[in-house]
Amino acid sequence: MERNKALEIVKAQLTDKRYVHTLGVTETAVNLAKQYGADIQKAELAAIFHDYAKFRPKEEMKKILLEEKEDDRLFDFHHELWHAPAGAVLVRREAGIKDKEVLSAIRWHTTGRPGMTLLEKIVYLADYIEPGRLFPGVEEVRKIAEQNLNQAVLAAVKNSILFLMGKQQPVFPVTMDTYNDFIQNGDDG
Ligand code: DGI
Ligand code: FE
Ligand code: FE
């Protein structure tokens, strides 16, 4: 799908603020794709659509996740986690995106997963470091991202877990699995 068409579709789904975030993620993902040798068009498309389902009603997302037999542990955790897997389904159904690599980068953009693909890492990291993000530690992750993709994703996952723990929030098991995978399998991926 052409960039402007994709942006037009996504804009209708999002608030202005979230759309600006999406533009930041897209620019960042394209730059990371160039730097790390990923498919630039796939990175751009996945980034544009990554938060497509962000404002869907909880009940609609739940229905989709049940229909698609998604991980039922999601229902025991905050519904913030649902927009990524529900988004991958909706982008396929409503926007007609068929590319499996693009859909999985959308699917895993919130928690990551063990054995992440290059494209999944790029969208995950771009979501974390896009220019509009201001949270503590983000500048450090931006610096690491210039040198080493895996180290940067690990730093982002670690910061996210520490942030949740700081608020005494539950951490979704797949987020922990992602962290463990990077720690145990090093930074050679
Ligand atoms: O959609 P964005 O705001 O751009 O970013 P995102 O898709 O990474 O979603 C972030 C939200 O999800 C944020 O409010 C924190 C929450 N989150 C991320 N990982 C976990 C989590 N919440 C819980 N409970 N557990 C997690 O592992
Ligand atoms: Fe998101
Ligand atoms: Fe996002």
Side-chain angles (χ1 to χ4, degrees):
M1 184 183 296
E2 198 246 324
R3 175 194 167 94
N4 286 338
K5 178 70 191 158
L7 286 171
E8 183 192 316
I9 292 171
V10 148
K11 196 170 196 299
Q13 299 290 324
L14 302 177
T15 60
D16 288 353
K17 193 174 161 210
R18 182 62 42 176
Y19 183 67
V20 170
H21 161 70
T22 294
L23 293 176
V25 176
T26 302
E27 184 200 357
T28 307
V30 166
N31 288 337
L32 289 170
K34 286 178 185 160
Q35 189 184 345
Y36 290 107
D39 185 311
I40 292 165
Q41 272 163 1
K42 289 188 189 199
E44 180 174 65
L45 201 59
I48 289 173
F49 281 111
H50 86 283
D51 275 338
Y52 181 83
K54 191 79 178 175
F55 299 104
R56 290 298 168 112
K58 254 196 307 188
E59 287 315 312
E60 185 187 351
M61 288 195 283
K62 187 166 187 177
K63 181 168 169 276
I64 288 162
L65 298 176
L66 288 167
E67 280 167 7
E68 301 284 330
K69 298 192 169 46
E70 280 288 348
D71 190 338
D72 54 20
R73 294 174 298 179
L74 285 163
F75 305 124
D76 299 327
F77 286 80
H78 201 278
H79 60 266
E80 262 298 333
L81 293 166
W82 303 356
H83 76 283
V89 174
L90 285 167
V91 163
R92 174 169 54 79
R93 288 188 190 169
E94 297 179 1
I97 303 292
K98 296 275 178 335
D99 190 297
K100 293 255 166 35
E101 291 178 83
V102 170
L103 294 175
S104 89
I106 298 167
R107 167 69 185 80
W108 298 107
H109 87 262
T110 301
T111 61
R113 65 162 167 169
M116 287 172 88
T117 65
L118 178 59
L119 203 68
E120 288 166 7
K121 290 172 188 173
I122 282 172
V123 174
Y124 181 94
L125 185 61
D127 192 23
Y128 194 83
I129 64 171
E130 63 96 357
R133 298 291 208 194
L134 300 167
F135 31 66
V138 71
E139 202 44 56
E140 172 72 9
V141 181
R142 286 187 184 116
K143 284 210 190 81
I144 302 169
E146 289 170 18
Q147 308 294 330
N148 185 311
L149 181 66
N150 285 331
Q151 290 287 353
V153 178
L154 171 59
V157 177
K158 186 179 130 188
N159 280 1
S160 300
I161 292 169
L162 289 170
F163 175 77
L164 290 165
M165 285 184 162
K167 295 197 301 173
Q168 302 218 65
Q169 296 281 320
V171 178
F172 191 59
V174 177
T175 306
M176 290 306 306
D177 294 341
T178 306
Y179 170 80
N180 286 333
D181 184 53
F182 279 100
I183 293 290
Q184 292 180 312
N185 297 316
D187 62 351
D188 55 349

